[in-house]
Amino acid sequence: MKLRCTACGREWSIDRQLLHCPCGGLLEVEQDERDWDGERLRRLFDERLAERRSLYASGVWRYKELIHPLLPEDCAVTKYEGNTGLYASEPVRAFAGVAGLLLKAQSENPSGSFKDNGMVAAVSHGLSLGYRRFACTSTGNTSASLAMYAALAGCQSYVFVPESGVAESKVLQTAAYGARLIRFEGTYDDGIRFLEAHAEELELYVCNSVNPLRIEGQKSMVYELAHSLQWSLPDWIVLPGGALSNASALGKGLRDLLRLGLISRLPRVLVVQAEGASPFHRLMAGGGDRLEPEPRPWTLASALNIGNPPSWEKARGVLRDTDGLTVAVSDGEILEAKACIDRAGIGCEPASAAAVAGLRKLVREGRIDKEASAVCLLTGHLLKDLDALKRIPAGPSCAAGSLEPGSVRRLIEG
Ligand SMILES: *Cc1c(COP(=O)(O)O)cnc(C)c1O
Ligand SMILES: [Zn+2]
C-alpha cells in the first residue's frame, strides 16, 4: 500500500503525512491488488455481517482489506459508521420517474453525513502515524465529522474558519464536539495554503477533502451498497457533487469491485450540481479541457457551495469510465425534491435532494430511460440545515378551537 501522484506518477510511502505531491498533483492510495482474492473476501465480508460489537461491525472496517489493510487494529476508531438504510419509497420513485429507485441514506451516519465513511479512515490513519491534533478548513459536514472522531479518540481538533461563508448549524455541531475554531481573515483557499505550509511544524494531521485516506474510507459506501444487493448494482448511481471527492471515491470503489470480480459491469454515474455552483457540469457539458472555477458560488444547498472543486480531474475520469453524465438543478428544483423525500419519511438536507432532482430532470428530458433502475445517495441528514427547513411550507395546520370529539373529527376527516 502506497501513495501515488495522479499527475506525475511518482510513488510515496504512506508512513508520513503528505498533502500533495511536490509537483502539485493530487495523491491517491494504491492498494496491493495482487493480494486480493475476490472469493475469499466475499466470504469474509459475509461472515462479518454477523459481527455486533467488534471493529468489523463497522460498515467501513468490514471492508478493511480494501481500505487500509496495514492499519493496526488498536489505531482504528469507530462509531459503527456506514450500515446505513437502503429504502424503496414509492412516492420518491414516482417523483423521479424511473422504474426502480432506491435511496441510500448516508445521512444516517453517526455525525449525520456521508463524510463519516471517509473521516473514520483518515483519523485512524493519523493516529497510526502518531498524530494527536487534527485539522481541516471546512465548516460544514467535514468539520462536524472530524470533530466527532477526534473527540472519540481523545484528541483535539482545530477547524480553520474564514470570517464569512459559514453554515451556522454545522459549526454549532462541530463546536459541541469540542473542536477549537480558529477564525481568520481570508478565504478557504488561504486556509488550505496555510495548512499545506505549516501543518508539519504545528504537528497537525490535515483531513481536508483531498486526504487520500478519506477517499479510501469513502469507497466503503459502494461496497456496502453492492454487498446489500448481492453484488449487483442498478443501471445508475446518482449523487450530488461539490468538491467531487465523493464522486472520486465512488468511481475508485467501483473499479475495485470490478477488479475483484464481485460485480461484472459498472453502473453509470450521474453527478448533480446546483446551478449556482456548477463549474464541473459546465466543463463536462461544454467539452473544454480545464475546469473554470466559479468565483462566487451560491446555492442554498450549502454543502454544494464550492466554486473550485479540487477533485475534478478524478471525477472526470469516473464519468469517462462509467459513461456517466452531469446535470445542474436550480435551488427551486432542489427544494421540491427535498419536500418529497422528507414527506416520504426519509428526509435529507438540500444538497442530498439535488440527486433526486437531477435524476428527475434527465428522465423528463429523455436522457435517462424511464425503464432504468437507479440508486440516489442521500448525503446529509434532515436536521443539518434548519434554514432550509424554514423555507419548505409545512403541511396545513388546522385550528380545532375547543377540543371536542365532534370538531376534531371534522378536522381529521376533512
Ligand atoms: C460534502 C457534501 C456533499 C458534496 O460532496 P463532495 O465530495 O464535496 O462532492 C454533498 N452533500 C453533503 C450533505 C455533503 O456534506
Ligand atoms: Zn507528482
Coordinates of all heavy atoms in Angstrom, one line a residue, residues 5-10 12 21-27, ligand 2:
C5 N 1.2 9.8 -7.1 CA 0.7 11.1 -7.6 C -0.1 10.9 -8.9 O 0.4 10.2 -9.8 CB 1.9 12.0 -7.9 SG 1.5 13.5 -8.7
T6 N -1.3 11.5 -8.9 CA -2.1 11.3 -10.1 C -1.6 12.1 -11.3 O -2.1 11.9 -12.4 CB -3.6 11.6 -9.8 OG1 -3.6 12.9 -9.3 CG2 -4.2 10.7 -8.7
A7 N -0.7 13.0 -11.0 CA -0.2 13.9 -12.1 C 1.1 13.3 -12.7 O 1.2 13.0 -13.9 CB 0.0 15.3 -11.7
C8 N 2.1 13.1 -11.8 CA 3.4 12.7 -12.4 C 3.7 11.2 -12.2 O 4.7 10.7 -12.7 CB 4.5 13.5 -11.8 SG 4.9 13.1 -10.0
G9 N 2.9 10.5 -11.4 CA 3.0 9.1 -11.2 C 4.0 8.6 -10.1 O 4.2 7.5 -9.9
R10 N 4.7 9.6 -9.5 CA 5.7 9.3 -8.5 C 5.1 8.6 -7.3 O 3.9 8.9 -6.9 CB 6.4 10.6 -8.1 CG 7.9 10.4 -7.9 CD 8.6 11.7 -7.6 NE 9.5 11.5 -6.5 CZ 10.2 12.5 -6.0 NH1 10.1 13.7 -6.4 NH2 11.0 12.2 -5.0
W12 N 5.0 7.4 -3.2 CA 5.4 7.9 -1.9 C 4.9 6.9 -0.8 O 3.9 6.2 -1.0 CB 4.8 9.3 -1.6 CG 5.1 10.3 -2.6 CD1 4.4 10.6 -3.8 CD2 6.2 11.2 -2.6 NE1 5.0 11.6 -4.5 CE2 6.2 11.9 -3.8 CE3 7.3 11.4 -1.7 CZ2 7.1 12.9 -4.1 CZ3 8.2 12.3 -2.1 CH2 8.2 13.1 -3.2
C21 N 1.7 16.0 -3.9 CA 3.0 15.7 -4.4 C 3.7 17.0 -4.6 O 3.1 18.0 -4.9 CB 2.8 15.0 -5.8 SG 4.3 14.6 -6.6
P22 N 5.0 17.1 -4.5 CA 5.8 18.3 -4.7 C 5.5 18.9 -6.1 O 5.6 20.1 -6.3 CB 7.2 17.9 -4.6 CG 7.2 16.7 -3.8 CD 5.9 16.0 -4.0
C23 N 5.1 18.1 -7.1 CA 4.7 18.6 -8.4 C 3.4 19.3 -8.4 O 3.0 19.9 -9.4 CB 4.7 17.5 -9.4 SG 3.2 16.6 -9.6
G24 N 2.6 19.2 -7.3 CA 1.3 19.9 -7.2 C 0.2 18.9 -7.4 O -1.0 19.3 -7.2
G25 N 0.5 17.7 -7.8 CA -0.6 16.7 -8.2 C -1.2 16.2 -6.9 O -0.7 16.2 -5.8
L26 N -2.5 15.7 -7.1 CA -3.2 15.0 -6.0 C -2.6 13.6 -5.8 O -2.2 12.9 -6.8 CB -4.7 14.8 -6.4 CG -5.6 16.0 -6.5 CD1 -7.0 15.6 -6.7 CD2 -5.5 16.8 -5.2
L27 N -2.7 13.2 -4.6 CA -2.2 11.9 -4.2 C -3.4 10.9 -4.1 O -4.5 11.3 -3.8 CB -1.4 11.9 -2.9 CG -0.2 12.8 -3.0 CD1 0.4 13.0 -1.6 CD2 0.9 12.1 -3.9
Ligands
ZN2 ZN 3.6 14.5 -8.8

